[in-house]
Amino acid sequence: MDRREFLQTAAVTAAASALVVGASETATAAGKNKNETVSQEKKMKKIIIAADPFAVDLKDSIKAKLIADGYDVEDVGSQKGQDIAYYDCAPVACKKLQQDPTARGILLCGSGMGMSIVANRFAGIHASVVESVFAAKMCRAINNANVLCLGAMIWGDWMAKEAVDTFLNTKFTQGLDGLEEFLQGAYKTVNAIKD
């Protein structure tokens, strides 16, 4: 499959998936208490979060929402009045993620890029800088990213929370029917690349 064919297939499949997911969620809500099921899943999910001084306010807002939603959140970044540079807190977060492969990371700085550059130096870390909710979904579905990087100079509070929810609730290859084998193979190939 060439790139153009892949992109066309992915776009059509993603659009169809959004419709199927919406219908599926309606059916699930009618059949059982969805909130209880989702809440139990979230309580089992560990989130490592960190921010540099540029993103403390956005990090604190996202962290409060995650805790309210039932996630187990560990903050290893800057706090108000305690500045930690992105290149100091990202390694702490990544080492914790390496110890728990089921955990997810959310790293924030001014643009998200510094955090991503540092995070991607760690084995097993797949950090993606995103600037849209759609990209937050696709970094999971296509690339199986386990770390979401956001820029506080780019994101507003409400949309950043939407991106985080989307990232945490999307599974690898979700909605990309027919592309699973290709994406899993690509993921293995990328993981094997060493310099």
Side-chain angles (χ1 to χ4, degrees):
M1 172 182 304
D2 69 17
R3 286 186 182 149
R4 182 176 303 226
E5 188 179 12
F6 168 75
L7 291 173
Q8 289 170 342
T9 304
V12 170
T13 307
S17 171
L19 294 173
V20 170
V21 168
S24 172
E25 287 177 352
T26 301
T28 301
K32 64 182 179 179
N33 186 342
K34 180 183 163 212
N35 290 335
E36 183 177 310
T37 303
V38 170
S39 181
Q40 289 173 352
E41 287 177 15
K42 288 179 180 176
K43 286 181 181 174
M44 292 184 278
K45 182 72 78 177
K46 176 82 171 185
I47 308 295
I48 308 297
I49 195 167
D52 75 359
F54 291 99
V56 171
D57 289 338
L58 183 58
K59 183 259 306 175
D60 287 346
S61 181
I62 290 169
K63 177 181 166 183
K65 180 194 183 317
L66 291 171
I67 291 169
D69 286 348
Y71 287 99
D72 176 13
V73 181
E74 184 176 356
D75 186 344
V76 297
S78 292
Q79 308 297 322
K80 289 186 179 173
Q82 178 193 7
D83 294 350
I84 304 173
Y86 72 91
Y87 48 78
D88 288 328
C89 60
V92 174
C94 292
K95 288 174 186 174
K96 288 183 175 289
L97 290 164
Q98 287 175 322
Q99 294 169 2
D100 183 357
T102 65
R104 294 287 175 264
I106 301 169
L107 303 178
L108 304 98
C109 62
S111 67
M113 293 175 202
M115 286 289 202
S116 177
I117 290 168
V118 174
N120 282 312
R121 295 183 179 273
F122 289 81
I125 302 300
H126 303 278
S128 293
V129 180
V130 301
E131 296 181 359
S132 71
V133 174
F134 179 75
K137 180 180 183 73
M138 291 297 104
C139 79
R140 285 286 305 134
I142 294 174
N143 304 107
N144 201 20
N146 57 0
V147 176
L148 180 69
C149 298
L150 302 174
M153 294 187 285
I154 297 163
W155 286 93
D157 187 77
W158 185 82
M159 288 301 289
K161 290 175 183 175
E162 282 292 310
V164 168
D165 278 345
T166 299
F167 173 78
L168 294 174
N169 292 306
T170 302
K171 294 180 174 35
F172 184 37
T173 76
Q174 179 179 326
L176 299 173
D177 301 332
L179 297 173
E180 296 93 346
E181 188 176 328
F182 170 78
L183 293 171
Q184 289 165 356
Y187 181 75
K188 289 177 184 173
T189 299
V190 169
N191 279 333
I193 296 172
K194 305 277 189 237
D195 183 16

